[in-house]
Amino acid sequence: MMNKKAIGAVAVAAAAVLALSACSGGSSEGSAGGDAATGEISYWLWDANQLPAYQQCATDFTKANPDITVKITQTGWDDYWSKLTNGMASGTAPDVFTDHLSKYPDFLKTKQLVPLDDSITVDVSQYNEGLADLWVGQDGKRYGLPKDWDTVALFYNQKMATDAGITPEQMGSLTWNPQDGGTYEKAIARLTVDKNGKRGDEAGFDKNNVAVYGLGLPGSDAENAGQTQWSYLSATTGWTTTDKNPWGTHFNYDDKKLQDTIDWWASLAVKGYMPKLETTVGANAADNFGAGKAAINSNGSWMIGQYTGYKGIDVGIAPTPQGPEGKRASMFNGLADSVWAGTKKKDAAIKWVEYLGSSACQDVVASKAVVFPAITTSSEKAADAFKAKNVDVSAFTQHVTDKTTFMLPITDNASKVAGIMKPAVDAVIAGKSPASSLTAANEQVNALFAK
Amino acid sequence: MTTLTKQPDPGLSARAPRKSRKRGKPSDGFRGIGDLKVALFFIAPAMVGLILFYLVPTIRGIYLSFTEYSILGDPEWIGAQNYERIAKDPLFWNALGVTAEYVLINIVLQTALALGLAILMHRVAKSTLIRGALLMPYLMANVIAALLWFWMLDYQIGIINQIIEWTGLPRVAFFGSEQWAIPTQALINTWRHMGYTALLIFAGLQAIPNSVYEAASIDGSKAVSTFWRITLPLLRPVLVLVLVVTVIGSFQVFDTVAVTTAGGPVNATRVLQFYIYQRAFNEQDFGYGSALAVILFLILAIVAFIQMKFLRGNQSDLD
């Protein structure tokens, strides 16, 4: 009898475990239990450079609200999103987390985010223009409070530029077009040096033995819609990623303007001005720049600290080149903080988000000179903090003041689009397929939205 | 045994066995049930584990392959749509081809080298130290081995490319070029698994009785023909086992790809397991990922069946 009981107990326990796991697998969104306004709340972010600033914010926040403490966890970008999704499925996601424009549509679709405007009213005019609108879902509700923004510029090695006879003024007034690459390509060619010391624009240049590439290459960047690598060029031709933004449902990778841009970019590798894609696997483009193997890197403003931190490299920051229509362009991306729908401490979580979105916290972030906070006055303070560190960030900020930014494309199915576009653009940059092959990939992408 | 000690009256010994049999029957049956209970008790942990971690997930995986499921929210039944989409998915067919290339290079090389090593262990290297050293790569975690080679074979800073350059040859993008990426990874895993496979074959070699070899040498057989006519045929059951196990393992290559090329360049290393992971975990399409996994499961079952059937892996020629 004892044995039978024991077996029965094991069976019951097994069934219970099964039932439990089935529950947590399915309906975590419904489990938003408490609205507690006190206790410890968890907060996740991915950028280690920003951790000290937000730790300071958390300390200040607890000082003002002694009954709430904030536990911050930092996880690198590569693991952040799968960890977060698994956490949501298993009921262990953080109460509040740093959210990204390309990711939050999927969370909205599966009802993982708490609409903030049910509980708080925030003056959105304090933020840089457009940032707050990005975090309003298709239902008209707000799912994130803007925390920072970023634009793109050209980091370049000043000594190499001087040696090549290129002045900072010339670097600051580059032009580009998809046909001959304009003065941008001329500068890239001039800055490329082969092993015999011949420059890319000189006779006898050996493109198969290059010592310094004019332009660095981290990868095809198609998984990020070309954010730092080619969107600053394609957008100057008047091309847009989707039919409308946010919430576009039709992609335009079949457009000749985009394909000409990608073809031009891929041609740099053929000419020996940019590394071949196959040599970049496992390499870090920024570190290669730091090692003096590339003269120019296009990258985002969140990378300022890393690029200016390389010992022995005198880094200049130039604005992205002017396009065929005489205008510059930079993707404008903004992060925000969102509250997870499964939180047990909703009121405390929202209070923390409100604090993160206020000038009290964003001024602290500004003072650390790591990123540009979303609040206009705070991002001016950040520019001053960078200046105090002898870094001229006007190449990034002028996109905002000149209104030459365009928003990161916000759509459903972002990860599936990335899964299709990355190998497609890889193949073009690797020289395996012409850019016209992107038309077929574009059809696959648009088919995702057909249902 | 208690029934025997309780045997009554010795005078009735003639009837005693029958009686005891009669009494024994229910008690035997009863003991049987008692044994069953005890047996179940001991089987239970393994059984619960099997049901919980194999049977239920397998059935659930098959069920999910007929649904659309994003892990957040509930699965939605869509019939065989996932399978229809897979049939038309160029990336699936690409993954099949890439995986097949990997398995072919990996298995052929690994089995040939392991066989050679096993014979050397059997005939030449009797030292336990050397035999042990052959197992060293296998003791390393897959991910560590992959990262180590990733670093040594790096295009810019890898020591192997430094050596290649010293010899005057052009550097090789071992992981970056589409031609090299799969052979490189197949070779890394061959290096890692070779010693272990050799050990399995070595055990098989030791099971072949010496008398067979003696008979062969008396008949004047040379070493080469002894290998082809005696060693290899008698080793067949072990080789089949080794092949079945290594082919299944080879088809499931994932970690090496995941920590190095992540499917790239372009689609050159998007092996089946990595494609399953990508669809399920990166793109939150668990239904599609499950359908791919079911297909991989069927492929492996068929491959294992063919190997067992045609190589007669369950029979030995020694008896």
Side-chain angles (χ1 to χ4, degrees):
Chain A
M1 287 306 278
M2 286 298 285
N3 289 347
K4 228 177 222 170
K5 259 186 195 163
I7 293 162
V10 171
V12 169
V17 169
L18 276 183
L20 281 175
S21 60
C23 278
S24 61
S27 56
S28 53
E29 80 229 35
S31 64
D35 291 347
T38 57
E40 183 184 84
I41 52 171
S42 47
Y43 175 59
W44 282 12
L45 49 82
W46 65 78
D47 188 354
N49 294 324
Q50 298 178 40
L51 183 59
Y54 285 102
Q55 194 58 60
Q56 181 65 46
C57 286
T59 311
D60 297 349
F61 176 71
T62 303
K63 226 174 261 168
N65 303 275
D67 46 358
I68 308 175
T69 53
V70 181
K71 184 172 182 286
I72 304 183
T73 307
Q74 182 262 330
T75 306
W77 170 270
D78 288 344
D79 298 321
Y80 187 85
W81 299 103
S82 55
K83 219 177 142 185
L84 190 63
T85 311
N86 292 344
M88 287 170 173
S90 62
T92 56
D95 302 301
V96 181
F97 63 94
T98 307
D99 206 350
H100 193 274
L101 286 172
S102 69
K103 308 281 180 181
Y104 98 99
D106 282 343
F107 294 140
L108 273 191
K109 212 159 120 188
T110 48
K111 301 189 178 66
Q112 294 299 322
L113 304 180
V114 172
L116 299 175
D117 37 12
D118 290 355
S119 321
I120 48 170
T121 44
V122 174
D123 170 25
V124 293
S125 68
Q126 64 179 322
Y127 301 113
N128 274 294
E129 199 183 328
L131 287 181
D133 304 338
L134 297 171
W135 294 92
V136 175
Q138 283 163 301
D139 58 0
K141 289 186 175 175
R142 165 166 305 285
Y143 290 94
L145 272 193
K147 60 190 296 154
D148 59 26
W149 55 265
D150 51 71
T151 54
V152 177
L154 307 177
F155 294 95
Y156 69 98
N157 187 314
Q158 285 192 315
K159 186 177 178 303
M160 288 179 184
T162 311
D163 291 350
I166 301 172
T167 64
E169 290 70 37
Q170 286 172 313
M171 278 303 294
S173 57
L174 295 169
T175 61
W176 173 84
N177 65 71
Q179 283 76 42
D180 64 10
T183 58
Y184 186 37
E185 179 168 338
K186 287 204 174 74
I188 291 170
R190 182 96 192 125
L191 286 163
T192 306
V193 186
D194 74 8
K195 295 231 158 102
N196 303 317
K198 281 255 185 281
R199 295 192 171 275
D201 58 358
E202 291 172 352
F205 167 70
D206 179 3
K207 66 177 184 179
N208 294 317
N209 283 297
V210 177
V212 179
Y213 288 100
L215 186 64
L217 175 71
S220 75
D221 203 28
E223 66 274 33
N224 307 311
Q227 182 181 11
T228 60
Q229 297 308 308
W230 45 265
S231 71
Y232 67 94
L233 299 172
S234 57
T236 64
T237 65
W239 180 78
T240 55
T241 315
T242 48
D243 52 348
K244 58 176 180 177
N245 198 22
W247 312 114
T249 55
H250 183 91
F251 279 73
N252 299 325
Y253 287 108
D254 55 349
D255 192 315
K256 195 170 177 305
K257 287 179 198 155
L258 179 270
Q259 297 186 351
D260 286 348
T261 304
I262 300 288
D263 263 336
W264 172 82
W265 189 42
S267 79
L268 293 181
V270 177
K271 293 168 190 161
Y273 301 161
M274 182 171 82
K276 290 193 169 66
L277 185 71
E278 61 177 44
T279 68
T280 64
V281 172
N284 181 317
D287 287 345
N288 275 337
F289 177 89
K293 294 195 169 188
I296 304 175
N297 269 191
S298 62
N299 218 324
S301 50
W302 65 91
M303 293 293 284
I304 295 171
Q306 182 161 345
Y307 276 97
T308 54
Y310 290 116
K311 291 236 158 62
I313 304 275
D314 191 6
V315 177
I317 307 175
T320 56
Q322 292 176 347
E325 288 160 22
K327 275 189 158 180
R328 304 180 200 280
S330 165
M331 197 178 274
F332 196 34
N333 179 31
L335 306 181
D337 292 302
S338 295
V339 177
W340 176 46
T343 177
K344 300 256 170 8
K345 293 158 187 150
K346 196 171 120 191
D347 291 348
I350 289 177
K351 219 172 189 177
W352 168 235
V353 168
E354 200 176 3
Y355 185 76
L356 287 167
S358 72
S359 55
C361 175
Q362 301 207 350
D363 281 352
V364 169
V365 176
S367 70
K368 307 270 181 189
V370 279
V371 286
F372 297 107
I375 295 175
T376 316
T377 53
S378 302
S379 63
E380 282 158 9
K381 283 177 185 160
D384 292 341
F386 278 117
K387 200 175 272 172
K389 283 176 149 185
N390 272 327
V391 181
D392 178 7
V393 293
S394 56
F396 291 104
T397 54
Q398 78 178 64
H399 278 299
V400 178
T401 45
D402 297 353
K403 297 193 194 304
T404 49
T405 59
F406 61 98
M407 293 296 172
L408 183 142
I410 300 168
T411 64
D412 283 333
N413 298 316
S415 55
K416 287 179 190 167
V417 173
I420 294 167
M421 289 315 298
K422 185 177 183 325
V425 182
D426 271 0
V428 179
I429 302 308
K432 194 185 169 196
S433 321
S436 55
S437 65
L438 297 179
T439 302
N442 193 59
E443 279 166 19
Q444 281 184 41
V445 167
N446 283 333
L448 294 173
F449 294 86
K451 309 187 240 185
Chain B
M1 296 299 111
T2 46
T3 46
L4 284 176
T5 58
K6 275 187 178 176
Q7 266 202 24
D9 199 355
L12 297 169
S13 62
R15 280 162 60 197
R18 228 191 295 160
K19 228 182 179 179
S20 81
R21 232 182 287 142
K22 256 185 200 164
R23 284 177 54 188
K25 245 187 191 168
S27 91
D28 268 349
F30 189 68
R31 194 173 344 121
I33 291 172
D35 284 351
L36 183 70
K37 277 181 171 178
V38 175
L40 279 177
F41 182 73
F42 281 108
I43 290 171
M47 201 63 178
V48 168
L50 185 78
I51 292 173
L52 217 58
F53 296 112
Y54 286 89
L55 220 54
V56 170
T58 306
I59 293 167
R60 190 170 155 81
I62 293 171
Y63 160 68
L64 286 178
S65 76
F66 293 99
T67 66
E68 192 171 329
Y69 179 44
S70 76
I71 203 174
L72 307 168
D74 295 318
E76 185 192 329
W77 184 266
I78 54 165
Q81 273 183 40
N82 284 328
Y83 292 96
E84 286 164 25
R85 274 161 61 208
I86 287 173
K88 286 182 274 181
D89 181 353
L91 280 179
F92 165 71
W93 295 105
N94 169 73
L96 264 192
V98 170
T99 312
E101 184 191 350
Y102 173 88
V103 171
L104 199 71
I105 299 174
N106 180 231
I107 293 302
V108 169
L109 270 177
Q110 183 171 297
T111 314
L113 288 171
L115 190 58
L117 280 178
I119 288 167
L120 286 178
M121 274 201 263
H122 192 54
R123 300 268 173 84
V124 189
K126 311 258 170 178
S127 142
T128 321
L129 189 74
I130 294 176
R131 288 174 180 177
L134 286 171
L135 259 184
M136 293 279 277
Y138 189 72
L139 300 180
M140 202 185 288
N142 242 345
V143 169
I144 306 289
L147 287 177
L148 206 66
W149 281 103
F150 194 39
W151 182 55
M152 291 201 297
L153 294 170
D154 187 272
Y155 185 83
Q156 312 274 1
I157 57 164
I159 183 163
I160 292 176
N161 264 316
Q162 297 280 354
I163 295 169
I164 290 175
E165 198 166 51
W166 283 334
T167 63
L169 295 166
R171 286 171 179 251
V172 181
F174 286 104
F175 287 93
S177 85
E178 288 186 78
Q179 293 76 25
W180 276 101
I182 276 291
T184 302
Q185 310 212 16
L187 283 170
I188 291 172
N189 284 332
T190 300
W191 169 82
R192 186 173 173 272
H193 291 274
M194 196 167 62
Y196 178 71
T197 314
L199 198 73
L200 293 178
I201 299 174
F202 174 63
L205 283 176
Q206 287 190 312
I208 300 174
N210 246 336
S211 54
V212 188
Y213 288 114
E214 277 164 21
S217 81
I218 288 168
D219 288 347
S221 168
K222 297 261 162 40
V224 175
S225 65
T226 305
F227 172 77
W228 287 108
R229 303 223 175 146
I230 309 272
T231 313
L232 216 50
L234 290 179
L235 204 55
R236 201 201 59 240
V238 174
L239 276 180
V240 172
L241 169 88
V242 166
L243 272 178
V244 170
V245 172
T246 54
V247 165
I248 290 176
S250 192
F251 260 102
Q252 300 190 347
V253 57
F254 172 76
D255 27 21
T256 319
V257 173
V259 298
T260 58
T261 51
V266 192
N267 291 312
T269 61
R270 211 170 297 279
V271 292
L272 212 41
Q273 280 280 27
F274 188 81
Y275 189 47
I276 293 170
Y277 169 80
Q278 176 193 335
R279 293 306 292 243
F281 291 91
N282 283 346
E283 302 178 13
Q284 314 287 297
D285 201 344
F286 281 81
Y288 198 85
S290 299
L292 287 168
V294 169
I295 290 175
L296 176 62
F297 174 72
L298 290 177
I299 291 173
L300 290 180
I302 292 168
V303 168
F305 176 78
I306 291 174
Q307 285 176 318
M308 293 302 276
K309 180 95 180 162
F310 288 96
L311 297 169
R312 294 179 296 124
N314 48 355
Q315 298 164 29
S316 167
D317 294 332
L318 270 174
D319 313 319

